[in-house]
Coordinates of all heavy atoms in Angstrom, one line a residue:
M1 N -49.1 -132.2 -36.5 CA -47.9 -132.2 -37.2 C -47.9 -131.2 -38.4 O -48.9 -131.1 -39.0 CB -47.6 -133.6 -37.8 CG -46.3 -133.7 -38.5 SD -46.0 -135.4 -39.0 CE -45.8 -135.2 -40.8
Q2 N -46.9 -130.5 -38.5 CA -46.8 -129.5 -39.6 C -45.7 -129.9 -40.6 O -44.7 -130.5 -40.2 CB -46.5 -128.1 -39.1 CG -47.6 -127.5 -38.3 CD -47.3 -126.1 -37.9 OE1 -46.3 -125.5 -38.3 NE2 -48.2 -125.5 -37.2
C3 N -45.8 -129.6 -41.8 CA -44.8 -129.9 -42.8 C -44.7 -128.6 -43.7 O -45.2 -128.5 -44.8 CB -45.3 -131.1 -43.7 SG -44.0 -131.5 -44.9
P4 N -44.0 -127.6 -43.1 CA -43.8 -126.4 -43.9 C -42.9 -126.5 -45.0 O -41.9 -127.2 -45.0 CB -43.3 -125.4 -42.8 CG -42.6 -126.3 -41.9 CD -43.3 -127.6 -41.8
A5 N -43.2 -125.8 -46.1 CA -42.3 -125.7 -47.3 C -42.2 -124.3 -47.6 O -43.2 -123.6 -47.8 CB -42.9 -126.5 -48.4
L6 N -41.0 -123.7 -47.6 CA -40.8 -122.3 -47.9 C -39.9 -122.1 -49.1 O -39.0 -122.8 -49.3 CB -40.1 -121.7 -46.7 CG -40.8 -121.9 -45.3 CD1 -39.9 -121.4 -44.2 CD2 -42.2 -121.2 -45.3
R7 N -40.2 -121.1 -49.9 CA -39.4 -120.7 -51.0 C -38.6 -119.5 -50.6 O -39.1 -118.4 -50.3 CB -40.3 -120.3 -52.2 CG -39.5 -119.9 -53.4 CD -40.5 -119.5 -54.5 NE -39.7 -118.9 -55.6 CZ -40.3 -118.5 -56.7 NH1 -41.6 -118.7 -56.9 NH2 -39.6 -118.0 -57.7
C8 N -37.2 -119.7 -50.5 CA -36.3 -118.7 -50.0 C -35.1 -118.6 -50.9 O -34.6 -119.7 -51.3 CB -35.9 -119.0 -48.6 SG -37.2 -119.3 -47.4
P9 N -34.5 -117.4 -51.1 CA -33.3 -117.4 -51.9 C -32.1 -117.6 -51.0 O -32.1 -117.3 -49.8 CB -33.3 -115.9 -52.4 CG -34.0 -115.2 -51.3 CD -35.1 -116.1 -50.8
A10 N -31.1 -118.3 -51.5 CA -29.8 -118.5 -50.8 C -29.1 -117.1 -50.8 O -29.0 -116.6 -51.9 CB -29.0 -119.6 -51.4
V11 N -28.6 -116.6 -49.7 CA -28.0 -115.3 -49.7 C -26.5 -115.4 -49.3 O -25.8 -114.4 -49.3 CB -28.7 -114.3 -48.8 CG1 -30.1 -114.0 -49.4 CG2 -28.8 -114.8 -47.4
G12 N -26.1 -116.6 -49.0 CA -24.7 -116.8 -48.7 C -24.5 -117.9 -47.6 O -25.5 -118.5 -47.2
G13 N -23.3 -118.1 -47.3 CA -23.0 -119.1 -46.3 C -22.8 -120.5 -46.9 O -22.7 -120.6 -48.1
E14 N -22.8 -121.5 -46.0 CA -22.5 -122.8 -46.5 C -23.5 -123.8 -45.9 O -23.9 -123.7 -44.7 CB -21.1 -123.2 -46.0 CG -20.6 -124.4 -46.6 CD -19.1 -124.6 -46.1 OE1 -18.3 -123.6 -46.2 OE2 -18.8 -125.8 -45.7
A15 N -24.1 -124.7 -46.7 CA -25.1 -125.6 -46.2 C -24.3 -126.6 -45.2 O -23.2 -127.1 -45.6 CB -25.7 -126.4 -47.3
R16 N -24.9 -126.8 -44.0 CA -24.2 -127.7 -43.1 C -25.2 -128.3 -42.1 O -26.2 -127.7 -41.8 CB -23.1 -127.0 -42.3 CG -23.6 -125.9 -41.4 CD -22.5 -125.3 -40.5 NE -23.1 -124.5 -39.5 CZ -23.2 -123.2 -39.5 NH1 -22.9 -122.5 -40.6 NH2 -23.7 -122.5 -38.5
V17 N -24.9 -129.4 -41.6 CA -25.7 -130.0 -40.5 C -25.5 -129.2 -39.3 O -24.4 -128.9 -38.9 CB -25.3 -131.5 -40.3 CG1 -26.0 -132.1 -39.1 CG2 -25.5 -132.3 -41.5
N18 N -26.6 -128.8 -38.7 CA -26.5 -127.9 -37.5 C -27.1 -128.4 -36.2 O -27.1 -127.8 -35.2 CB -27.2 -126.5 -37.9 CG -26.5 -125.4 -37.3 OD1 -25.3 -125.4 -37.0 ND2 -27.2 -124.3 -37.1
D19 N -27.7 -129.6 -36.3 CA -28.3 -130.2 -35.2 C -28.4 -131.8 -35.4 O -27.9 -132.3 -36.3 CB -29.7 -129.6 -34.9 CG -30.6 -129.7 -36.1 OD1 -30.5 -130.7 -36.9 OD2 -31.4 -128.8 -36.3
D20 N -29.2 -132.4 -34.5 CA -29.3 -133.9 -34.7 C -30.5 -134.4 -35.5 O -30.7 -135.5 -35.6 CB -29.3 -134.6 -33.3 CG -30.5 -134.1 -32.4 OD1 -31.2 -133.3 -32.9 OD2 -30.6 -134.7 -31.3
E21 N -31.2 -133.4 -36.2 CA -32.3 -133.8 -37.0 C -31.9 -134.2 -38.4 O -32.6 -134.9 -39.1 CB -33.3 -132.7 -37.1 CG -34.1 -132.5 -35.9 CD -35.2 -131.5 -36.1 OE1 -35.6 -131.2 -37.2 OE2 -35.7 -130.9 -35.1
S22 N -30.7 -133.8 -38.9 CA -30.2 -134.0 -40.2 C -28.9 -134.8 -40.2 O -28.0 -134.4 -39.4 CB -30.1 -132.7 -41.0 OG -31.3 -132.0 -41.0
L23 N -28.7 -135.7 -41.1 CA -27.5 -136.4 -41.2 C -26.6 -135.7 -42.3 O -25.4 -135.7 -42.2 CB -27.7 -137.9 -41.7 CG -28.5 -138.7 -40.7 CD1 -28.7 -140.1 -41.3 CD2 -27.7 -138.8 -39.3
E24 N -27.2 -135.1 -43.3 CA -26.5 -134.5 -44.4 C -27.4 -133.4 -45.0 O -28.6 -133.5 -45.1 CB -26.2 -135.6 -45.4 CG -25.3 -135.1 -46.5 CD -24.9 -136.3 -47.5 OE1 -25.4 -137.4 -47.3 OE2 -24.2 -136.0 -48.4
V25 N -26.8 -132.3 -45.5 CA -27.5 -131.2 -46.2 C -26.7 -130.8 -47.4 O -25.5 -131.1 -47.4 CB -27.8 -130.0 -45.3 CG1 -28.7 -130.4 -44.1 CG2 -26.5 -129.4 -44.8
G26 N -27.3 -130.2 -48.3 CA -26.6 -129.7 -49.5 C -27.5 -128.9 -50.5 O -28.7 -128.9 -50.3
W27 N -26.8 -128.3 -51.4 CA -27.5 -127.5 -52.5 C -27.5 -128.4 -53.7 O -26.5 -129.0 -54.0 CB -26.8 -126.2 -52.7 CG -26.7 -125.3 -51.5 CD1 -25.6 -125.0 -50.9 CD2 -27.8 -124.6 -50.9 NE1 -25.9 -124.1 -49.8 CE2 -27.2 -123.9 -49.8 CE3 -29.2 -124.6 -51.1 CZ2 -28.0 -123.1 -48.9 CZ3 -29.9 -123.8 -50.2 CH2 -29.3 -123.1 -49.2
F28 N -28.6 -128.4 -54.5 CA -28.7 -129.2 -55.7 C -29.3 -128.4 -56.8 O -30.3 -127.7 -56.6 CB -29.6 -130.5 -55.4 CG -29.0 -131.4 -54.4 CD1 -29.4 -131.2 -53.1 CD2 -28.1 -132.4 -54.7 CE1 -29.0 -132.1 -52.1 CE2 -27.6 -133.2 -53.7 CZ -28.0 -133.1 -52.4
A29 N -28.8 -128.6 -58.0 CA -29.4 -128.0 -59.2 C -30.7 -128.8 -59.4 O -30.8 -130.0 -59.0 CB -28.5 -128.1 -60.4
L30 N -31.7 -128.1 -60.0 CA -33.0 -128.8 -60.2 C -32.9 -130.1 -61.0 O -33.6 -131.0 -60.9 CB -34.0 -127.8 -60.8 CG -34.5 -126.7 -59.9 CD1 -35.4 -125.8 -60.7 CD2 -35.3 -127.3 -58.7
D31 N -31.9 -130.1 -62.0 CA -31.8 -131.3 -62.8 C -30.8 -132.3 -62.2 O -30.5 -133.3 -62.8 CB -31.3 -130.8 -64.2 CG -29.9 -130.1 -64.2 OD1 -29.4 -129.8 -63.1 OD2 -29.4 -129.8 -65.3
A32 N -30.4 -132.1 -60.9 CA -29.5 -133.0 -60.3 C -30.0 -133.3 -58.8 O -29.2 -133.6 -58.0 CB -28.1 -132.5 -60.2
L33 N -31.3 -133.3 -58.6 CA -31.8 -133.6 -57.3 C -31.7 -135.0 -56.9 O -31.8 -135.9 -57.8 CB -33.3 -133.2 -57.3 CG -33.7 -131.8 -57.4 CD1 -35.2 -131.6 -57.5 CD2 -33.2 -131.0 -56.2
P34 N -31.4 -135.3 -55.7 CA -31.4 -136.8 -55.3 C -32.8 -137.3 -55.3 O -33.8 -136.6 -55.4 CB -30.9 -136.7 -53.8 CG -31.2 -135.3 -53.3 CD -31.2 -134.4 -54.6
E35 N -32.9 -138.6 -55.2 CA -34.2 -139.3 -55.3 C -35.0 -138.9 -54.0 O -34.5 -138.8 -52.9 CB -34.0 -140.8 -55.2 CG -35.3 -141.6 -55.5 CD -35.1 -143.1 -55.6 OE1 -34.1 -143.5 -56.2 OE2 -35.9 -143.8 -55.1
M36 N -36.3 -138.5 -54.3 CA -37.2 -138.1 -53.2 C -38.6 -138.6 -53.4 O -38.9 -139.0 -54.6 CB -37.3 -136.5 -53.2 CG -36.0 -135.8 -52.7 SD -36.3 -134.1 -52.7 CE -35.4 -133.6 -54.1
N37 N -39.4 -138.7 -52.4 CA -40.7 -139.1 -52.5 C -41.6 -138.1 -53.3 O -41.2 -136.9 -53.5 CB -41.4 -139.5 -51.2 CG -41.6 -138.4 -50.3 OD1 -42.0 -137.3 -50.7 ND2 -41.3 -138.6 -49.0
E38 N -42.7 -138.5 -53.7 CA -43.6 -137.7 -54.6 C -44.0 -136.4 -53.8 O -44.1 -135.3 -54.4 CB -44.8 -138.4 -55.0 CG -45.7 -137.7 -56.0 CD -45.1 -137.2 -57.3 OE1 -44.1 -137.9 -57.7 OE2 -45.5 -136.2 -57.8
H39 N -44.3 -136.5 -52.5 CA -44.7 -135.3 -51.7 C -43.6 -134.2 -51.8 O -43.9 -133.0 -52.0 CB -44.9 -135.7 -50.2 CG -45.3 -134.6 -49.4 ND1 -46.6 -134.1 -49.4 CD2 -44.6 -133.9 -48.4 CE1 -46.6 -133.1 -48.5 NE2 -45.5 -133.0 -47.9
C40 N -42.4 -134.6 -51.7 CA -41.3 -133.6 -51.8 C -41.2 -133.0 -53.2 O -41.0 -131.8 -53.3 CB -39.9 -134.2 -51.4 SG -39.8 -134.7 -49.7
M41 N -41.4 -133.8 -54.2 CA -41.3 -133.3 -55.6 C -42.5 -132.3 -55.8 O -42.3 -131.3 -56.5 CB -41.3 -134.5 -56.6 CG -40.1 -135.3 -56.5 SD -38.5 -134.4 -56.6 CE -38.6 -133.7 -58.3
V42 N -43.6 -132.6 -55.3 CA -44.8 -131.7 -55.5 C -44.4 -130.3 -54.9 O -44.7 -129.3 -55.4 CB -46.1 -132.3 -54.9 CG1 -47.2 -131.2 -54.7 CG2 -46.6 -133.5 -55.7
R43 N -43.9 -130.3 -53.7 CA -43.5 -129.1 -53.0 C -42.5 -128.3 -53.8 O -42.5 -127.1 -53.9 CB -42.9 -129.4 -51.6 CG -43.9 -130.0 -50.7 CD -44.9 -129.0 -50.3 NE -45.7 -129.5 -49.1 CZ -46.9 -129.2 -48.8 NH1 -47.6 -128.4 -49.6 NH2 -47.5 -129.7 -47.8
I44 N -41.5 -129.0 -54.4 CA -40.5 -128.3 -55.2 C -41.1 -127.7 -56.4 O -40.8 -126.6 -56.8 CB -39.3 -129.3 -55.6 CG1 -38.5 -129.6 -54.3 CG2 -38.4 -128.7 -56.7 CD1 -37.6 -130.7 -54.5
K45 N -42.0 -128.4 -57.1 CA -42.7 -127.9 -58.3 C -43.5 -126.7 -57.9 O -43.6 -125.7 -58.7 CB -43.5 -129.0 -58.9 CG -42.6 -130.1 -59.6 CD -43.5 -131.2 -60.1 CE -42.5 -132.3 -60.7 NZ -43.2 -133.5 -61.0
Q46 N -44.2 -126.7 -56.8 CA -45.0 -125.6 -56.4 C -44.1 -124.4 -56.1 O -44.5 -123.3 -56.4 CB -45.8 -126.0 -55.1 CG -46.9 -126.9 -55.4 CD -47.6 -127.5 -54.1 OE1 -46.9 -127.6 -53.1 NE2 -48.8 -127.9 -54.2
A47 N -43.0 -124.6 -55.5 CA -42.1 -123.5 -55.2 C -41.6 -122.8 -56.5 O -41.3 -121.6 -56.5 CB -40.9 -124.0 -54.4
Q48 N -41.4 -123.6 -57.6 CA -41.0 -123.1 -58.9 C -42.1 -122.2 -59.5 O -41.8 -121.4 -60.3 CB -40.6 -124.2 -59.8 CG -39.3 -124.9 -59.4 CD -39.1 -126.0 -60.4 OE1 -39.7 -127.1 -60.2 NE2 -38.2 -125.8 -61.3
S49 N -43.3 -122.5 -59.2 CA -44.5 -121.8 -59.8 C -44.6 -120.4 -59.3 O -44.2 -120.0 -58.2 CB -45.7 -122.6 -59.4 OG -46.9 -121.8 -59.6
E50 N -45.0 -119.5 -60.1 CA -45.3 -118.1 -59.8 C -46.7 -117.9 -59.4 O -47.2 -116.8 -59.2 CB -44.9 -117.2 -60.9 CG -43.4 -117.1 -61.2 CD -42.6 -116.6 -60.1 OE1 -43.1 -115.8 -59.3 OE2 -41.5 -117.1 -59.9
G51 N -47.5 -119.0 -59.2 CA -48.9 -118.9 -58.8 C -49.1 -118.5 -57.4 O -48.1 -118.2 -56.7
P52 N -50.3 -118.4 -57.0 CA -50.6 -117.9 -55.6 C -50.1 -118.9 -54.6 O -50.0 -120.1 -54.9 CB -52.1 -117.8 -55.6 CG -52.6 -118.7 -56.7 CD -51.5 -118.7 -57.7
R53 N -49.8 -118.4 -53.4 CA -49.4 -119.3 -52.3 C -50.6 -120.0 -51.8 O -51.8 -119.5 -51.9 CB -48.7 -118.5 -51.2 CG -47.6 -117.7 -51.7 CD -46.5 -118.6 -52.4 NE -45.5 -117.7 -53.0 CZ -45.2 -117.8 -54.3 NH1 -45.9 -118.6 -55.1 NH2 -44.3 -117.0 -54.8
W54 N -50.5 -121.2 -51.2 CA -51.6 -121.9 -50.7 C -51.3 -122.6 -49.4 O -50.1 -122.8 -49.0 CB -52.1 -122.9 -51.8 CG -51.0 -123.9 -52.1 CD1 -50.0 -123.8 -53.0 CD2 -50.8 -125.2 -51.5 NE1 -49.2 -124.9 -53.0 CE2 -49.6 -125.7 -52.1 CE3 -51.4 -125.9 -50.5 CZ2 -49.2 -127.0 -51.7 CZ3 -50.9 -127.1 -50.1 CH2 -49.8 -127.7 -50.8
F55 N -52.3 -123.1 -48.7 CA -52.2 -123.9 -47.5 C -53.0 -125.1 -47.7 O -54.2 -125.1 -48.1 CB -52.7 -123.1 -46.3 CG -52.7 -123.8 -45.0 CD1 -51.6 -124.0 -44.3 CD2 -53.9 -124.4 -44.6 CE1 -51.6 -124.8 -43.1 CE2 -53.9 -125.1 -43.4 CZ -52.8 -125.3 -42.7
E56 N -52.5 -126.3 -47.3 CA -53.3 -127.5 -47.3 C -53.2 -128.2 -46.0 O -52.1 -128.4 -45.4 CB -52.6 -128.4 -48.4 CG -53.3 -129.8 -48.5 CD -52.7 -130.6 -49.6 OE1 -52.3 -130.1 -50.7 OE2 -52.5 -131.8 -49.4
T57 N -54.3 -128.7 -45.5 CA -54.3 -129.4 -44.2 C -53.8 -130.8 -44.4 O -53.8 -131.3 -45.6 CB -55.7 -129.5 -43.6 OG1 -56.6 -130.2 -44.5 CG2 -56.2 -128.1 -43.3
M58 N -53.3 -131.5 -43.4 CA -52.8 -132.8 -43.5 C -53.9 -133.8 -43.7 O -53.7 -134.9 -44.2 CB -52.0 -133.2 -42.3 CG -50.7 -132.4 -42.2 SD -49.6 -132.6 -43.5 CE -48.9 -134.2 -43.1
G59 N -55.1 -133.5 -43.3 CA -56.3 -134.4 -43.6 C -56.1 -135.8 -43.2 O -56.4 -136.7 -44.1
G60 N -55.8 -136.1 -42.0 CA -55.8 -137.5 -41.5 C -54.5 -138.3 -41.9 O -54.5 -139.5 -41.8
R61 N -53.5 -137.6 -42.4 CA -52.2 -138.3 -42.7 C -51.5 -138.8 -41.5 O -51.5 -138.2 -40.5 CB -51.3 -137.4 -43.5 CG -51.8 -137.3 -44.9 CD -50.7 -136.6 -45.7 NE -51.2 -136.3 -47.0 CZ -50.6 -135.5 -47.9 NH1 -49.5 -135.0 -47.6 NH2 -51.2 -135.3 -49.1

């Protein structure tokens, strides 16, 4: 299983559900994010960082 997290700029268009994997999508300001688990919040904080990119194995999860 892979859990990719990518930092990408929005360049246009409209957020929308495009398949049967998502019920809802949207854009959120960092100070108005919906409730998420800690794993998601760690990924968002890493994306905000200007530090080096990294890779972490799932390690038995």
Side-chain angles (χ1 to χ4, degrees):
M1 181 174 125
Q2 293 184 1
C3 183
L6 306 171
R7 179 181 173 177
C8 308
V11 295
E14 192 173 316
R16 68 176 191 262
V17 174
N18 217 26
D19 55 34
D20 61 355
E21 288 189 18
S22 303
L23 299 176
E24 186 176 1
V25 297
W27 301 112
F28 299 92
L30 290 173
D31 61 355
L33 292 171
E35 188 173 321
M36 289 184 256
N37 66 39
E38 184 60 27
H39 179 75
C40 292
M41 293 306 297
V42 166
R43 297 288 193 208
I44 290 170
K45 289 175 185 172
Q46 288 169 332
Q48 290 177 281
S49 164
E50 292 299 326
R53 304 303 171 239
W54 61 273
F55 174 82
E56 179 180 319
T57 62
M58 294 300 284
R61 287 188 187 170

